[in-house]
Amino acid sequence: MLKPEIEDGQASLADPQFRADVLAGLERRPRAIPARWFYDRRGSELFEAITDLPEYYPTRTETAMLGTACPQVAEIAGPGRAVVEFGSGSSVKTPLLLSTVRPSAYVPIDISGDFLRESSRVLSAAFPELLVLPFEADFLRPLALPQTIAATPKLGFFPGSTIGNMIPLMAVDLLRAMRASLGEGAMLLIGMDRIKDEGTLVAAYDDAAGVTAAFNRNLLERINRELDGTIPIDAFAHEARWNDDRARIEMHLVATRDVSFAVDGRPFSVGAGESIHTENSHKYGSRDARILLRSGGWTPIREWTDPDSLFGLYLAEA
Ligand code: AVI
């Protein structure tokens, strides 16, 4: 996932981009704050908890699918590739891939050095023979990967349906950037959550235990902590909506009453019923996913799904 920096947060230490995104997002109509700011330390913990929820099927479904798909990916991709993961790696999915594909090197790319160093340390301990080359960078743009693996064919790995958190225009740009970064002869293994009945989708983003609600509201807490905010958190309700026109789940924070507050010394008023849009999670049917991949310069060559067609895993070549 696109995990940004972990910060414990004080107003004076706030990321200037966070301040700019929040102030601009509260100013505009409809109000919207980019989802990347969910992931401070608390937000990352809450996201981990979400992945274990009974309603949140994507993580366990994709993980089970990787068990079947990875040996086949290994056969198609052949030995000795460098696995390049976009994001700092999951403690379960990445080992599944590395143990079957047996790459010559593993390059996790993340904008957050903290996440990257920690997950690289854990993976190096689990795979002591493997050359692990953590790469701190924003993978939304084409990258010059380490010289050591310049001549090695690459296998990109982008699980978790994180691509769904981008609008399609950005998703295509990202796929193109990945193709440019990985070079000729590359392959890409990517997960995308599928379109399904609205009830299942909404429940996955509005769980009975309220963990996703806490994850959403933590953004307001982060604003209060880091940007000297005075937002009354209890005046905002978590809402997950299926936008059928755009094939996406939207998360919103909806004001339950008229509220006035300040952020970084600037006053804001939000009327009862008004929302702050905090996340999009686009869902792709099999054909949609293949069109998206082709638009991004990739040719899909294999596809896996689960018995209930909840989630899709795609292998594509450059
Ligand atoms: C990280 N990303 C793929 C998650 C998703 O499903 O869109 C983030 C998430 N938001 C609420 N629950 C999970």
Side-chain angles (χ1 to χ4, degrees):
M1 52 176 302
L2 299 174
K3 291 179 210 130
E5 45 279 39
I6 302 176
E7 280 172 11
D8 283 321
Q10 279 168 18
S12 57
L13 294 178
D15 184 317
Q17 193 59 54
F18 179 45
R19 177 181 287 110
D21 282 356
V22 168
L23 294 176
L26 290 175
E27 214 75 77
R28 57 176 283 213
R29 300 292 180 277
R31 297 175 215 264
I33 298 172
R36 62 184 290 242
W37 299 113
F38 277 139
Y39 302 96
D40 65 349
R41 189 178 294 279
R42 179 77 188 128
S44 300
E45 284 166 5
L46 286 165
F47 178 69
E48 283 308 308
I50 286 173
T51 63
D52 285 333
L53 290 169
E55 295 95 334
Y56 194 75
Y57 58 85
T59 310
R60 64 174 173 276
T61 309
E62 187 185 41
T63 304
M65 211 178 293
L66 282 166
T68 313
C70 284
Q72 297 174 36
V73 172
E75 222 177 285
I76 300 167
R81 285 184 181 256
V83 166
V84 177
E85 181 158 6
F86 297 93
S88 51
S90 116
S91 53
V92 182
K93 295 176 202 172
T94 307
L96 265 174
L97 183 69
L98 297 180
S99 59
T100 41
V101 167
R102 290 197 280 125
S104 56
Y106 170 64
V107 185
I109 309 175
D110 205 296
I111 199 164
S112 159
D114 285 344
F115 274 110
L116 197 57
R117 278 183 288 279
E118 174 57 14
S119 67
S120 300
R121 196 187 53 73
V122 172
L123 274 164
S124 293
F127 297 89
E129 310 287 291
L130 182 65
L131 175 64
V132 178
L133 301 167
F135 196 75
E136 193 173 336
D138 175 4
F139 59 71
L140 298 175
R141 283 181 269 283
L143 300 168
L145 293 175
Q147 208 34 50
T148 343
I149 55 158
T152 313
K154 318 289 189 302
L155 171 63
F157 187 41
F158 195 39
S161 199
T162 301
I163 195 148
N165 295 131
M166 284 155 223
I167 58 165
L169 189 71
M170 297 264 299
V172 167
D173 282 353
L174 172 60
L175 289 167
R176 283 179 194 277
M178 286 174 167
R179 195 186 181 290
S181 302
L182 297 174
E184 283 310 307
M187 288 186 163
L188 176 67
L189 183 62
I190 182 169
M192 293 190 218
D193 193 15
R194 289 203 161 168
I195 299 170
K196 58 189 64 65
D197 69 278
E198 188 171 337
T200 304
L201 284 165
V202 170
Y205 293 83
D206 192 5
D207 59 281
V211 182
T212 312
F215 174 71
N216 201 4
R217 281 209 199 89
N218 179 59
L219 180 62
L220 301 181
E221 279 163 22
R222 183 177 186 186
I223 293 170
N224 282 354
R225 271 194 309 269
E226 296 183 25
L227 300 177
D228 212 7
T230 60
I231 305 172
I233 317 276
D234 64 345
F236 285 88
H238 165 69
E239 203 176 298
R241 302 178 190 159
W242 172 244
N243 181 332
D244 196 60
D245 181 43
R246 297 190 178 217
R248 70 190 190 195
I249 281 284
E250 295 177 1
M251 294 211 313
H252 293 261
L253 288 160
V254 182
T256 53
R257 53 182 161 88
D258 292 349
V259 276
S260 295
F261 54 85
V263 174
D264 199 34
R266 263 202 241 176
F268 293 95
S269 292
V270 180
E274 261 192 84
S275 107
I276 305 171
H277 185 171
T278 50
E279 187 180 56
N280 292 314
S281 193
H282 294 83
K283 309 300 172 188
Y284 293 99
S286 166
R287 284 191 185 87
D288 311 324
R290 283 182 273 126
I291 290 171
L292 189 72
L293 283 164
R294 286 186 192 278
S295 310
W298 294 93
T299 306
I301 55 171
R302 274 301 296 268
E303 171 176 343
W304 296 267
T305 191
D306 52 291
D308 300 316
S309 283
L310 295 174
F311 199 91
L313 189 64
Y314 304 84
L315 183 65
E317 60 188 9

